[in-house]
Amino acid sequence: MANVTIVTEFLLLGSPEGWDLSFLYFTVFPMTYLGTLLGNLLIVTVTTADQNLHTPMYFFLRNLSILDMCYISITVPNACFNSLTGNRAISVAGCATQIFLVIFCACVEFLFLTIMAWDRYVAICQPLQYPLIMNPQICVRMTLASLLSGLLYAGVHTGNTFHLSFCQSNVVHQFFCDIPSLLRLSCSDTTSNKVLLLVSAMAVGGGSFAIIIMSYFRIFSTVLKFPTRAPGKAFSTCTPHILVFSLFLSSGSCMHLRSSATSDTLQDIVLSAFYTMVPPFLNPLIYSLRNKQVKDAVGRVMGHIVLREMIKMCYHNITEWSSMRLRDLLCGLYRLHCLH
């Protein structure tokens, strides 16, 4: 059979049969989305405005926050809008775009988190060489390499998926377009697609996880040698990073690698929500807002904003008062001129 796409549009699933997920679409999803935007936007603003945070660590935090805002914006607003309007249709091009962007953001997220763990390893274990190893040029190059790798990774998987024929049902059992759901709708042989998913997931996800674990293991080994209370601080900081990354990796792997024969629609939706919404929501809390430097910077930036608004208000009041006084003076001079 020729690989000709017969399906012209797909229908996203609002709720599984027998379940009403309106609570998710009208409460949990919007609140998580707004919380993610506000938290990450605060991090971007603070790390940009405060000169003390212009370091490699906060450079990558800023990039991660921008990525997280884009990542969650690909799926959640569209899902909430579709649930509100009842319009579940999405074109083939729109579905392909959504898959490409989700895979791109997920891949780059893995790479950014890996780079950030390695950055902490160099800062703690090789502090004298840190300025040389993590210079601005290297940071920019690693960021560009991550973005290009994400584009390549997403392009290969998206192209390989839409090379298939879709001539069965057009109902995607998910709140957004993803590869596992489309593979179940294909009437072509999807063996090569599943093998590619498995190999690429092991290479990107497994490789990133291994580097992160080794980096934190070296960090813990080094910190434990310090005759201070630093080990407790290191464990309290690094452990949440590992937990969130593990949640991100495990939920995404379970969603993309498990057999379609054991697939459950509600479980698919929950797993997809975990790897597309939870990491962007938690990253600002774990990586930044628990950090004393960021808290101090937030205070400084907010203080500057409040001071600037107070100065503007005072200037406006003084200007208004001066204008009134000048107007009264001119009126008095005009009356005096009329009398004479």
Side-chain angles (χ1 to χ4, degrees):
M1 179 184 296
N3 288 329
V4 179
T5 302
I6 298 176
V7 174
T8 57
E9 68 176 12
F10 295 102
L11 297 177
L12 300 175
L13 186 66
S15 299
E17 186 176 351
W19 291 86
D20 183 11
L21 300 185
S22 57
F23 176 76
L24 286 178
Y25 293 123
F26 295 119
T27 305
V28 178
F29 279 21
M31 294 299 294
T32 304
Y33 180 66
L34 290 177
T36 301
L37 289 186
L38 291 176
N40 285 288
L41 186 60
L42 178 63
I43 299 306
V44 172
T45 303
V46 170
T47 54
T48 302
D50 196 297
Q51 294 291 331
N52 296 323
L53 299 184
H54 289 185
T55 63
M57 174 183 175
Y58 296 105
F59 171 77
F60 290 116
L61 277 175
R62 182 165 60 250
N63 291 339
L64 181 67
S65 294
I66 296 173
L67 179 71
D68 282 338
M69 288 190 289
C70 297
Y71 189 20
I72 199 170
S73 297
I74 298 168
T75 57
V76 174
N78 186 64
C80 295
F81 179 78
N82 289 346
S83 180
L84 180 65
T85 61
N87 180 20
R88 300 184 296 135
I90 183 171
S91 65
V92 173
C95 188
T97 301
Q98 197 170 54
I99 286 180
F100 178 85
L101 293 176
V102 168
I103 296 177
F104 168 76
C105 288
C107 178
V108 177
E109 178 111 355
F110 275 123
L111 298 177
F112 276 176
L113 294 176
T114 305
I115 293 172
M116 290 167 63
W118 185 71
D119 170 76
R120 290 299 83 204
Y121 156 73
V122 176
I124 294 174
C125 301
Q126 303 180 33
L128 298 180
Q129 300 181 18
Y130 183 77
L132 179 63
I133 296 176
M134 300 300 295
N135 62 70
Q137 292 79 13
I138 294 296
C139 293
V140 172
R141 288 174 185 173
M142 286 193 291
T143 301
L144 292 178
S146 300
L147 296 175
L148 292 175
S149 299
L151 289 173
L152 179 62
Y153 186 87
V156 169
H157 282 290
T158 305
N160 201 37
T161 300
F162 283 88
H163 186 65
L164 301 171
S165 298
F166 301 100
C167 50
Q168 300 182 26
S169 172
N170 68 335
V171 178
V172 178
H173 291 268
Q174 189 57 266
F175 66 91
F176 66 95
C177 282
D178 67 342
I179 291 179
S181 299
L182 291 186
L183 293 183
R184 299 185 195 112
L185 303 181
S186 176
C187 50
S188 303
D189 183 12
T190 59
T191 303
S192 62
N193 298 73
K194 294 175 181 177
V195 171
L196 181 62
L197 277 175
L198 176 62
V199 173
S200 60
M202 292 178 62
V204 177
S208 297
F209 186 72
I211 294 174
I212 289 175
I213 292 297
M214 286 190 295
S215 298
Y216 284 135
F217 177 78
R218 296 282 185 86
I219 290 173
F220 292 149
S221 300
T222 302
V223 170
L224 287 174
K225 300 175 184 178
F226 296 161
T228 63
R229 301 173 64 180
K233 181 180 179 181
F235 276 101
S236 65
T237 302
C238 297
T239 302
H241 300 181
I242 298 176
L243 291 177
V244 171
F245 184 84
S246 300
L247 176 65
F248 183 32
L249 179 62
S250 59
S251 58
S253 299
C254 289
M255 183 62 212
H256 286 80
L257 301 180
R258 67 185 182 139
S259 172
S260 59
T262 60
S263 176
D264 176 76
T265 302
L266 181 61
Q267 190 176 17
D268 286 351
I269 292 177
V270 172
L271 286 173
S272 298
F274 266 102
Y275 81 84
T276 58
M277 296 172 57
V278 174
F281 178 75
L282 292 180
N283 280 338
L285 301 176
I286 290 176
Y287 283 95
S288 301
L289 298 182
R290 294 172 71 248
N291 187 300
K292 186 178 184 302
Q293 283 183 290
V294 176
K295 289 180 181 178
D296 294 341
V298 170
R300 287 193 296 269
V301 172
M302 295 303 294
H304 290 161
I305 293 175
V306 172
L307 180 61
R308 186 168 63 247
E309 291 300 319
M310 290 178 63
I311 292 174
K312 287 173 60 179
M313 184 175 63
C314 292
Y315 176 78
H316 175 73
N317 291 336
I318 292 173
T319 303
E320 184 178 357
W321 178 81
S322 301
S323 299
M324 293 175 62
R325 297 290 296 175
L326 179 62
R327 183 184 60 190
D328 292 342
L329 178 62
L330 291 175
C331 290
L333 291 175
Y334 178 74
R335 293 194 194 98
L336 184 63
H337 174 73
C338 292
L339 290 174
H340 290 282

